[in-house]
C-alpha cells in the first residue's frame, strides 16, 4: 500500500490553443479538466495499474467539491479532509508543437489545526503502508519545514517517505532523511546550487542531496530521461516517446512507476521511465495504464558522465544555461521531443 499526501491539490484545466499570443483574445481549440496535484497524480497512476494506494486530499470550496467528485468518478481510494479555504485551479496552455505553459495558483492557506488533522489522517492510513509520498508545492503560509516535520513523524513510525517538492520545502526536507527524493533538473540545480549540463553533473548533484540526508535520489531530466543514485551506485536511463502529447504529470507517473517497481535498482528505473514516457504520450495529465506502458523500449545503463543534456541549468540563479531566463514562479516545458 502506498499512501500519498497532497497538501496543495488542484483542478487542472488543459486548454489547447494554436499559439500563445500575449495580449490577444485566443480561441481555444479544445479543453479538458483533470483532477490534479502531485500526490493525487501518483495515486491515480497507481490506480490505473492496479497498485494499492490511498490519497489523503484536503479540499475546500466549490473547486474542492468538484475535485473530490472527479476523483470519485475515477474510483480513487482516498481520505478527504475538508478545509476552510478554496482548492486551487491550475491552467495548462498547450500548443500543437508540444510547448506547454503552466499557470499554477498559489493555493489556499492551511491552519495549524487543519495541518494537524491532515498529518493525523496520513499517520492513521500509513499503519498499513510501505511508503508515504509527500508531493507538490506548499500552500501559502504553510511553514517551509512542514515536509521535514512530517517526514520525521512518519520515519519515526518506521514508514518509508518519498518527497517530491521544490525550493525551500525540498531543502528543508533533506535534513529529515527521506528514503527517496525525486527532483527534476530545475529542482536539482536549485537545491544544490550547482550548474548542471551533463549526466556527470546530475550524478554529482544527486550525491550532494544524499550527503544532505536523502537515501535515494531519482532525478528526472525531462526529454533526457532520468538518473538514479542509490546505495548500490548510479544508473542512467531513457525511454523514447513516439508521439509526445503532454509532459504534465509525467514526473508523477514516473515516481509512481518507480515505487510500483520496487523502488530500487535497474528494474525500478525501467518501470519509472516506462510510466513517465507513457504519460508524455497522453493528453493533459491523464495517467497511463497497462496498454500505454512499453517497458521493452526503455534503455538503462551505468551513467556516462560526459553525456550532455539537451536542457542544461545554470547554478540555481533561475536562468537556463541554454537560453533565456525562466520567469520567477514559472515552469517551462519546451516541446516534448520524440527520440
Ligand atoms: N519531453 C519529453 N520527452 C520524453 N520523455 C519525457 C519528456 N518529458 C518528460 N519525460 C519523461 O518523464 C519523466 C519526468 O519528466 P520531468 O519533466 O523530468 O519531471 P517533472 O514533470 O516532475 O518536472 C522524465 O524523466 C522522462 O522519463
Ligand atoms: O504543486 P505544484 O508544484 O504547484 O504542482 C502542481 C501541478 O503538478 C502536477 O501534479 C503535474 O506535475 P508534474 O508535471 O511535475 O508531474 C499537476 O497536476 C499540478 O497542476
Amino acid at each position: 500500500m502506498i499512501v500519498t499526501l497532497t497538501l496543495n491539490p488542484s483542478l487542472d484545466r488543459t486548454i489547447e490553443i494554436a499559439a500563445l499570443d500575449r495580449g490577444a483574445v485566443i480561441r481555444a481549440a479544445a479543453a479538458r479538466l483533470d483532477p490534479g496535484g502531485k500526490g493525487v497524480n501518483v495515486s491515480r497512476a497507481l490506480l490505473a495499474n492496479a497498485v494499492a494506494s490511498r490519497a489523503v486530499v484536503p479540499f475546500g470550496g466549490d473547486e474542492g467539491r468538484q475535485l473530490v467528485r472527479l476523483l470519485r468518478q475515477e474510483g480513487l481510494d482516498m481520505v478527504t479532509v475538508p478545509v476552510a479555504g478554496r482548492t486551487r485551479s491550475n491552467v495548462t496552455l498547450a500548443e500543437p508543437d508540444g510547448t506547454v505553459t503552466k499557470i499554477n495558483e498559489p493555493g489556499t492557506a492551511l491552519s495549524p489545526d487543519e495541518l494537524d488533522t491532515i498529518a493525523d489522517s496520513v499517520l492513521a492510513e500509513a499503519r498499513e503502508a510501505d511508503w508515504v509520498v509527500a508531493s507538490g508545492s506548499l500552500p501559502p503560509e504553510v511553514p517551509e519545514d512542514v515536509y521535514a516535520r512530517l517526514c520525521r513523524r512518519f520515519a519515526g513510525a518506521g514508514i518509508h517517505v518519498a518527497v517530491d517538492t521544490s525550493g525551500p520545502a525540498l531543502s528543508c526536507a533533506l535534513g529529515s532523511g527521506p528514503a527517496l527524493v525525486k527532483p527534476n533538473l530545475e529542482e536539482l540545480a536549485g537545491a544544490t546550487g550547482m550548474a548542471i549540463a551533463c549526466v556527470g553533473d546530475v550524478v554529482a548533484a544527486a550525491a550532494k542531496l544524499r550527503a544532505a540526508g536523502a537515501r535515494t535520489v531519482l532525478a528526472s531530466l525531462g526529454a533526457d530521461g532520468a538518473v538514479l543514485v542509490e546505495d548500490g551506485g548510479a544508473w542512467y536511463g531513457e525511454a523514447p516517446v513516439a508521439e509526445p502529447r503532454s509532459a504534465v504529470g509525467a514526473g508523477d507517473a514516473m515516481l509512481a512507476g518507480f515505487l510500483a517497481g520496487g523502488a530500487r535498482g535497474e528494474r525500478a528505473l525501467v518501470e519509472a521511465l516506462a510510466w513517465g514516457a507513457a504519460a508524455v504520450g497522453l493528453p493533459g495529465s491523464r495517467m497511463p495504464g497497462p496498454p500505454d506502458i512499453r517497458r521493452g523500449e526503455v534503455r538503462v545503463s551505468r551513467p556516462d558522465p560526459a553525456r550532455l543534456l539537451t536542457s542544461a541549468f545554470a547554478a540555481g540563479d533561475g536562468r537556463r544555461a541554454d537560453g533565456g531566463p525562466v520567469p520567477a514562479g514559472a515552469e517551462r516545458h519546451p516541446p516534448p521531443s520524440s527520440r
Side-chain angles (χ1 to χ4, degrees):
M1 159 71 83
I2 296 167
V3 173
T4 66
L5 166 64
T6 312
L7 287 177
N8 205 3
S10 56
L11 280 175
D12 280 7
R13 188 173 294 282
T14 306
I15 304 175
E16 290 179 22
I17 55 174
L20 179 55
D21 184 2
R22 287 179 66 203
V25 175
I26 302 173
R27 304 282 170 196
R32 58 176 283 142
L33 189 65
D34 291 291
K38 293 195 193 300
V40 164
N41 285 342
V42 170
S43 282
R44 292 171 68 220
L46 292 168
L47 170 68
N49 291 277
V51 179
S53 171
R54 189 163 297 149
V56 176
V57 187
F59 74 102
D62 287 344
E63 292 86 347
R65 281 186 284 278
Q66 192 172 5
L67 172 69
V68 169
R69 245 192 332 268
L70 289 173
L71 291 174
R72 286 218 175 96
Q73 276 166 17
E74 290 193 359
L76 200 81
D77 184 348
M78 61 184 163
V79 176
T80 55
V81 181
V83 296
R86 178 184 65 82
T87 298
R88 66 183 170 154
S89 296
N90 292 342
V91 177
T92 297
L93 301 175
E95 294 169 72
D97 71 351
T99 302
V100 159
T101 307
K102 242 186 147 267
I103 305 168
N104 289 2
E105 284 186 25
T108 192
L110 297 171
S111 69
D113 281 353
E114 288 171 341
L115 266 177
D116 278 347
T117 308
I118 294 165
D120 289 345
S121 301
V122 177
L123 267 176
E125 298 309 322
R127 293 193 206 297
E128 20 170 336
D130 305 303
W131 282 90
V132 169
V133 180
S135 248
S137 61
L138 300 182
E141 293 166 43
V142 168
E144 284 168 358
D145 67 346
V146 68
Y147 282 140
R149 287 193 277 122
L150 290 173
C151 281
R152 284 194 193 97
R153 274 183 79 179
F154 301 153
I159 301 157
H160 291 106
V161 185
V163 177
D164 179 8
T165 189
S166 49
L170 171 60
S171 303
C172 281
L174 293 170
S176 67
L180 172 68
V181 292
K182 192 222 73 69
N184 64 19
L185 207 43
E186 195 172 354
E187 290 155 358
L188 196 60
T192 58
M194 290 170 64
I196 298 180
C198 63
V199 167
D201 294 337
V202 176
V203 174
K208 199 166 172 184
L209 296 193
R210 278 165 52 79
R215 182 87 189 256
T216 294
V217 178
L218 175 63
S220 66
L221 313 175
D224 288 304
V227 163
L228 169 65
V229 184
E230 58 182 4
D231 285 345
W235 295 96
Y236 169 77
E238 56 185 335
V241 180
E243 284 180 45
R245 300 279 299 275
S246 162
V248 179
D252 304 332
M254 169 190 227
L255 177 54
F258 186 73
L259 297 178
R264 206 175 158 71
E266 210 178 343
R267 192 177 93 82
L269 183 58
V270 167
E271 206 64 15
L273 287 159
W275 291 35
V280 175
L282 295 172
S285 55
R286 219 173 92 192
M287 290 293 127
D292 310 304
I293 296 173
R294 284 184 273 284
R295 294 169 185 83
E297 295 173 13
V298 178
R299 290 177 298 276
V300 168
S301 60
R302 291 297 181 182
D304 167 8
R307 183 186 170 128
L308 290 175
L309 303 176
T310 52
S311 54
F313 271 81
D317 64 354
R319 293 185 75 86
R320 286 169 57 121
D322 60 346
V326 177
E331 273 176 42
R332 183 175 296 184
H333 290 279
S337 61
S338 92
R339 289 161 301 125

